[in-house]
Amino acid sequence: LAKTTQPISMDSYEGQEVNITCSHNNIATNDYITWYQQFPSQGPRFIIQGYKTKVTNEVASLFIPADRKSSTLSLPRVSLSDTAVYYCLVGSPSGSARQLTFGSGTQLTVLP
Amino acid sequence: DAGITQSPRHKVTETGTPVTLRCHQTENHRYMYWYRQDPGHGLRLIHYSYGVKDTDKGEVSDGYSVSRSKTEDFLLTLESATSSQTSVYFCAISGRQGEAEQYFGPGTRLTVT
């Protein structure tokens, strides 16, 4: 099982760029890296997914180094509404659902 | 947002009573999942389904059973609820097994007294 390790919490200020790093040392060859966002009293929401190098969408960027043992979610110019828990997840579309493991997540607090 | 609903959204029940939670999807996705979320534990997979009448156990399946008689519905049953099953339960769907891109429902908050 590819377990993930993230910081428990991070604080930032409005307008800053935030980088959240996830460690996944035993990631398998076929595993993708996926990030979710969760607001209180809501279900997690898919943000971004990648396999290697860099992926960017309208919400975030995902940086994955060549060894793929870690990944960094980058949120540009955060606002108060980005305060949420962010989860890193690794898994393969060809693998078992039992191998998908959510970690405890990172509580991001954006301050005014 | 993906068409996923959960019912009930909130429930309080007594220890020893049976409880059934329902997940309904309108996306025609093959794979459906039940998770529980507790403080300090993140999300943990209870059971999942890879088709009608096809289910398998997840990480924390003891005390839970599931059924899927139609593509759109996935039921989670606590045969005899215990206080340790007080939690928030989320249903999710995906297009492929092991797919990390899942779409989650709004959750059901269950309290067992």
Side-chain angles (χ1 to χ4, degrees):
Chain A
L1 292 179
K3 292 213 177 272
T4 60
T5 303
Q6 306 172 231
I8 294 174
S9 64
M10 295 180 67
D11 289 343
S12 182
Y13 290 94
E14 281 190 293
Q16 289 188 334
E17 178 184 73
V18 171
N19 295 308
I20 306 174
T21 298
C22 178
S23 173
H24 28 79
N25 290 321
N26 59 341
I27 188 169
T29 302
N30 294 330
D31 284 344
Y32 281 72
I33 299 152
T34 309
W35 285 81
Y36 284 84
Q37 175 191 56
Q38 186 178 25
F39 297 113
S41 301
Q42 294 185 24
R45 182 176 73 100
F46 171 86
I47 301 176
I48 196 167
Q49 183 179 74
Y51 183 78
K52 62 180 179 180
T53 61
K54 177 184 175 182
V55 179
T56 297
N57 62 22
E58 65 277 7
V59 176
S61 294
L62 178 59
F63 298 92
I64 305 167
D67 66 5
R68 303 198 331 120
K69 293 183 182 298
S70 66
S71 58
T72 299
L73 175 72
S74 181
L75 304 172
R77 296 183 297 281
V78 295
S79 65
L80 297 176
S81 63
D82 290 316
T83 293
V85 178
Y86 291 83
Y87 293 96
C88 166
L89 179 69
V90 297
S92 167
S94 61
S96 167
R98 281 172 288 178
Q99 294 178 318
L100 294 175
T101 304
F102 283 83
S104 297
T106 298
Q107 171 67 58
L108 172 66
T109 302
V110 180
L111 305 169
Chain B
D1 288 343
I4 309 170
T5 57
Q6 293 183 231
S7 59
R9 294 293 313 279
H10 302 270
K11 185 170 182 67
V12 179
T13 192
E14 294 184 348
T15 298
T17 60
V19 177
T20 296
L21 308 183
R22 180 181 183 238
C23 177
H24 179 79
Q25 61 144 331
T26 57
E27 306 296 319
N28 201 35
H29 278 345
R30 180 178 176 184
Y31 299 98
M32 299 184 74
Y33 312 83
W34 276 108
Y35 292 89
R36 61 177 289 175
Q37 186 171 40
D38 306 289
H41 289 279
L43 286 145
R44 292 182 291 176
L45 182 65
I46 304 172
H47 280 280
Y48 67 98
S49 170
Y50 47 97
V52 173
K53 298 185 179 179
D54 291 324
T55 65
D56 204 351
K57 297 178 180 180
E59 179 187 359
V60 290
S61 59
D62 288 347
Y64 302 94
S65 62
V66 290
S67 66
R68 191 167 177 201
S69 59
K70 298 184 290 185
T71 298
E72 57 267 34
D73 290 326
F74 193 31
L75 303 180
L76 177 70
T77 297
L78 291 65
E79 299 292 345
S80 178
T82 67
S83 58
S84 65
Q85 293 176 311
T86 292
S87 186
V88 179
Y89 292 85
F90 288 102
C91 174
I93 63 174
S94 71
R96 292 182 290 181
Q97 179 173 229
E99 174 61 83
E101 185 175 349
Q102 299 180 13
Y103 298 93
F104 284 78
T108 295
R109 182 172 294 276
L110 176 67
T111 302
V112 183
T113 61

